[in-house]
Amino acid sequence: MRERDDHRKHRAALLDRLAGVLEQVGFPHGIAKVYAALTLAEGEGLSTGELIDELGISKAAVSNAMQFLIGTNLVERYRVRGSREAHYRILKGRWGDILARKFAATSRIRSAVEEAMVSIDSPAASERLEEMRDVYAFFETEFENVMQRFNERTGR
Amino acid sequence: MRERDDHRKHRAALLDRLAGVLEQVGFPHGIAKVYAALTLAEGEGLSTGELIDELGISKAAVSNAMQFLIGTNLVERYRVRGSREAHYRILKGRWGDILARKFAATSRIRSAVEEAMVSIDSPAASERLEEMRDVYAFFETEFENVMQRFNERTGR
DNA sequence: TGGAATGTTTAGAACTACCTGAACGTTGGG
DNA sequence: CCCAACGTTCAGGTAGTTCTAAACATTCCA
């Protein structure tokens, strides 16, 4: 069964690559692997046991990852009749939220920099902070517009 | 000198806070502290010795941080006559580059997801990848437009 | 060109994140 | 209600990162 073996290896490589992508988005390593496995699942989702087999991790790691993924509303638990195991599937339409959360950092950063500006007296330092503030203020409003267009697009 | 002491403590807190902001942007911890110190410097920059004193780190850490900051074109070295120490100052107008670099991840992610799509046959998995691809493609073009507006704005 | 001051590299220590195994708690079928 | 299957929590260990100290290299001035 050389062919099957190749297939399996290829799938594993694909999974690692996708997990790497998700780490770039900001997911912790272990959570990225779980999310990637759920994305590439043949059916609608996977059970705890299937995740343990496919990823070679412990059930504690699965439990931990699910606490994060369910807590952040990216994954949900569901039951399959005839099985006592928990099953997990990816919720659709969550990518907008994931990215919106990242954009939220922009406004936090802007206000933190502004807060720093008030207690600085050196002109040189003020100038550097001002540049930083202006850049982030610009991107903050741009991101708001982008998200609005995104929501209109998906709302249709 | 209670007043001076308060001032010093306040500065240190401000520095930590700004360093935290920079970590949110993606800087590693040590590098964020150095960049924050250079931002808040009274004058145009700081010497190695000043950074060591202010941050309480070793000269090796300074050397390492500067390798990163100079390598990514965010800081430059300059000399001060009468001193044999290296001095470092923040380059102006680099924040656009910093953020552009982050946006570049968007297109890398989109193409990685597209690559995964070609070797997947499960309809459920394809659908999930497709959603991810579409979202990232949307943001990719939006970011391109945002960066163009940013460059026009600063180009003036 | 020699020597002191400074910067870089490297080997190892400390810290942090995360994972595992085991104990514990919970759930559901008989 | 009890037992077995499963999930969660927690203490401990491991891997990876980043710091430091010290050796080494470089630079600059006499």
Side-chain angles (χ1 to χ4, degrees):
Chain A
M1 279 294 155
R2 165 60 53 98
E3 209 176 299
R4 278 241 160 274
D5 216 47
D6 278 3
H7 188 252
R8 212 178 42 71
K9 270 185 194 157
H10 183 244
R11 253 192 82 83
L14 206 61
L15 199 150
D16 282 348
R17 202 162 150 60
L18 184 58
V21 164
L22 294 167
E23 285 183 64
Q24 282 188 42
V25 180
F27 288 63
H29 180 69
I31 287 160
K33 283 209 312 189
V34 170
Y35 194 95
L38 291 177
T39 300
L40 297 178
E42 298 279 329
E44 68 173 329
L46 294 172
S47 71
T48 305
E50 288 166 336
L51 284 165
I52 288 170
D53 291 345
E54 180 144 6
L55 300 175
I57 59 180
S58 69
K59 62 180 176 174
V62 173
S63 175
N64 186 56
M66 289 314 172
Q67 210 163 318
F68 179 93
L69 289 169
I70 293 172
T72 52
N73 246 300
L74 302 177
V75 163
E76 71 180 357
R77 197 180 314 236
Y78 65 99
R79 311 218 120 266
V80 169
R81 52 160 298 151
S83 165
R84 290 174 70 163
E85 277 185 309
H87 289 240
Y88 303 96
R89 70 175 150 230
I90 287 175
L91 288 167
K92 296 184 182 183
R94 289 288 145 192
W95 277 100
D97 289 12
I98 293 172
L99 291 167
R101 241 171 272 165
K102 298 203 68 162
F103 295 162
T106 307
S107 78
R108 282 202 308 277
I109 291 168
R110 180 193 48 73
S111 62
V113 172
E114 277 174 1
E115 204 180 305
M117 286 176 74
V118 304
S119 53
I120 287 294
D121 46 359
S122 147
S126 289
E127 200 185 318
R128 286 186 288 264
L129 288 167
E130 219 166 295
E131 187 199 333
M132 198 172 162
R133 194 265 319 270
D134 289 349
V135 170
Y136 273 90
F138 173 82
F139 282 102
E140 187 180 359
T141 62
E142 288 287 342
F143 288 165
E144 277 165 16
N145 295 335
V146 169
M147 279 313 297
Q148 194 177 330
R149 282 192 285 276
F150 179 82
N151 289 330
E152 281 164 13
R153 197 192 68 132
T154 57
R156 126 168 69 98
Chain B
M1 279 293 156
R2 165 59 53 97
E3 208 177 298
R4 277 239 162 276
D5 217 46
D6 279 3
H7 187 253
R8 211 177 42 72
K9 269 186 197 157
H10 183 246
R11 253 192 82 82
L14 205 62
L15 198 149
D16 281 349
R17 205 163 147 56
L18 184 58
V21 164
L22 294 166
E23 284 182 64
Q24 282 187 42
V25 180
F27 288 63
H29 181 69
I31 288 160
K33 283 207 312 187
V34 170
Y35 194 95
L38 292 177
T39 300
L40 297 177
E42 298 279 329
E44 67 171 329
L46 294 172
S47 71
T48 305
E50 286 167 337
L51 284 165
I52 289 170
D53 291 347
E54 179 142 7
L55 301 175
I57 59 178
S58 69
K59 61 181 176 171
V62 173
S63 174
N64 186 55
M66 289 313 172
Q67 212 164 317
F68 178 93
L69 290 169
I70 293 172
T72 52
N73 246 302
L74 303 177
V75 164
E76 71 179 358
R77 198 180 310 236
Y78 65 100
R79 311 218 120 266
V80 168
R81 52 160 296 153
S83 165
R84 289 174 70 163
E85 277 185 307
H87 289 239
Y88 304 96
R89 69 176 149 229
I90 287 175
L91 287 167
K92 296 184 184 184
R94 289 289 145 190
W95 277 100
D97 289 11
I98 293 172
L99 291 167
R101 242 172 272 164
K102 299 201 70 160
F103 296 161
T106 307
S107 78
R108 283 202 307 277
I109 290 169
R110 180 194 48 71
S111 63
V113 172
E114 277 174 2
E115 203 180 305
M117 286 176 74
V118 305
S119 52
I120 287 295
D121 46 358
S122 148
S126 290
E127 200 184 316
R128 286 185 288 264
L129 288 167
E130 217 166 298
E131 187 200 332
M132 197 171 162
R133 194 265 319 267
D134 288 350
V135 170
Y136 273 90
F138 173 82
F139 282 102
E140 187 180 358
T141 62
E142 288 287 342
F143 289 165
E144 276 165 17
N145 295 335
V146 169
M147 278 313 296
Q148 193 176 331
R149 283 192 285 278
F150 179 80
N151 289 329
E152 279 164 12
R153 197 192 69 131
T154 56
R156 129 170 70 97

